[in-house]
Amino acid sequence: MRAYEVQDTDTDYEGVVEVDRERPTPAADEVLVRIRAASLNYRDLAIANADLAYPGMSLPVVPLSDGAGDVVDVGADVDRLAAGDRVATPFAPDWIDGPATTEKIRRTTGGNVDGALAEYATFPAESLPVLPDYLSYEDGATLSCAGLTAWRALAEDGDLGAGETVLALGTGGVSTFALQFASLHGAETIVTSSSDEKLDRARELGADETLNYERTPEWGEAIVERTGGVDHVVEVGGPGTLERSLEAAAFGGHVHLIGVLAGQAGQVDPSAILHKGLDVEGVMGVGSRAMFDRMLDAMAVAELQPVIDRVFDFEDARDAYRYVDAGKHQGKVVISLE
């Protein structure tokens, strides 16, 4: 079968190499999936880029946690799934339900176990959510990390309700899903970006307010002036944006720590956490299969459509990495394996 491996880390993704591999055989509790599409997250850049850092990876590895395809073979002990079922791949294949534990999130797809950028892959049958019929393979391939991270932060950890306010930093995969899920729950939404074009698109997707952070560098203060503070911040920037996110949050608000897109250096004044009684929650391990199932149920009610910026051919996978690294995308970038 065709596959890619991250064999080495460099700054131009030349270490992401197309290879020929033996098609895997499912163990008794596993299924074999013919992968039809996969998508990239910032995490995948960190695994392959020498200038970034991702803990616990093991090279060489087939990259990407996010994929979708068809079950084509099942292990001897599997009765939950059958050949022909359309499924999405798991981020943490051992986390089926309940709270996260070290053991449940020890293995991560595309990090220390082989991922979705291959024509065939095996996964524990219990780890795979079944896709609703209305989603294409490309749609389904956007959900495992970005979609589920945003869902868990807002709906599971944050208990988001109608009438609350959500601030999404940027317009990448997690932030765009956060905008969509917030709108789905009847929440008011604010989106930031340095691109007016992306902000226009965010408003088309349902954003109630937008803010260009280059023209308004003190955007935390500006958001408080506009809203009195937001109930939820989907914080993907890390130390580079966290202090302003804390400033933008309302008393008793939630700040969901997800990424480090703005860099890992710097110190953050924690006084806002104390003075406003903020809940600052790290979203680690993405989410369980049970959370994934609940997310898909909610999406299916509204037939919520993931936002796909561009689809690359399998042969152009390295170009997909470079495109995401350039930061020009809005929503998800997908690689087709058809």
Side-chain angles (χ1 to χ4, degrees):
M1 69 173 186
R2 298 182 303 164
Y4 277 87
E5 291 178 347
V6 179
Q7 297 181 350
D8 197 5
T9 59
D10 60 38
T11 58
D12 198 37
Y13 303 103
E14 290 297 330
V16 182
V17 179
E18 185 175 353
V19 297
D20 289 321
R21 278 191 163 206
E22 291 295 319
R23 183 188 302 187
T25 300
D29 63 344
E30 294 181 331
V31 300
L32 177 67
V33 178
R34 169 61 169 99
I35 304 293
R36 304 290 182 178
S39 77
L40 283 154
N41 296 283
Y42 178 80
R43 164 190 186 257
D44 302 307
L45 304 187
I47 288 170
N49 190 322
D51 283 351
L52 305 174
Y54 190 82
M57 66 184 188
S58 179
L59 303 184
V61 68
V62 175
L64 308 194
S65 58
D66 293 23
D70 309 296
V71 174
V72 294
D73 193 12
V74 302
D77 296 338
V78 174
D79 56 15
R80 178 176 167 268
L81 298 173
D85 286 344
R86 300 168 67 251
V87 295
T89 58
F91 180 91
D94 301 316
W95 189 8
I96 310 305
D97 200 355
T101 65
T102 301
E103 187 60 28
K104 287 177 182 178
I105 63 174
R106 180 181 59 84
R107 299 197 308 153
T108 58
T109 302
N112 55 19
V113 295
D114 285 335
L117 197 51
E119 290 183 308
Y120 294 89
T122 56
F123 300 96
E126 290 297 318
S127 72
L128 296 169
V130 176
L131 292 174
D133 292 339
Y134 85 94
L135 290 175
S136 69
Y137 293 116
E138 289 81 8
D139 295 331
T142 68
L143 300 172
S144 305
C145 184
L148 187 53
T149 296
W151 173 265
R152 176 189 167 190
L154 293 175
E156 304 275 344
D157 293 348
D159 194 24
L160 177 65
E164 293 188 310
T165 49
V166 174
L167 169 62
L169 302 190
T171 58
V174 173
S175 295
T176 298
F177 272 117
L179 165 60
Q180 292 182 287
F181 291 144
S183 298
L184 186 66
H185 282 77
E188 298 291 314
T189 54
I190 303 170
V191 174
T192 68
S193 176
S194 61
S195 165
D196 287 338
E197 182 181 353
K198 289 182 177 181
L199 293 176
D200 288 342
R201 175 63 172 143
R203 286 191 290 272
E204 291 174 3
L205 292 169
D208 296 290
E209 293 193 50
T210 57
L211 188 149
N212 187 310
Y213 61 77
E214 285 193 343
R215 287 201 297 271
T216 311
E218 300 300 324
W219 49 266
E221 180 181 342
I223 287 170
V224 171
E225 290 176 356
R226 289 190 195 184
T227 66
V230 297
D231 298 299
H232 300 267
V233 183
V234 179
E235 167 52 75
V236 298
T241 55
L242 178 56
E243 199 159 327
R244 289 188 177 88
S245 291
L246 298 174
E247 183 179 23
F251 280 81
H254 298 258
V255 178
H256 309 280
L257 292 177
I258 291 168
V260 290
L261 298 180
Q264 300 187 51
Q267 295 182 342
V268 176
D269 181 357
S271 59
I273 300 173
L274 302 175
H275 295 158
K276 294 199 255 183
L278 300 179
D279 287 326
V280 180
E281 302 155 338
V283 182
M284 179 60 184
V286 178
S288 66
R289 198 209 83 211
M291 293 179 190
F292 208 142
D293 290 341
R294 290 191 287 270
M295 177 183 73
L296 290 173
D297 287 343
M299 290 177 64
V301 170
E303 294 200 354
L304 187 148
Q305 202 70 42
V307 177
I308 296 175
D309 180 280
R310 185 171 171 184
V311 178
F312 285 81
D313 292 333
F314 181 81
E315 294 78 11
D316 300 323
R318 279 197 297 267
D319 291 335
Y321 274 83
R322 294 166 186 144
Y323 182 72
V324 174
D325 198 358
K328 297 180 179 180
H329 62 292
Q330 186 159 4
K332 294 292 292 178
V333 174
V334 174
I335 299 170
S336 174
L337 283 81
E338 295 282 16

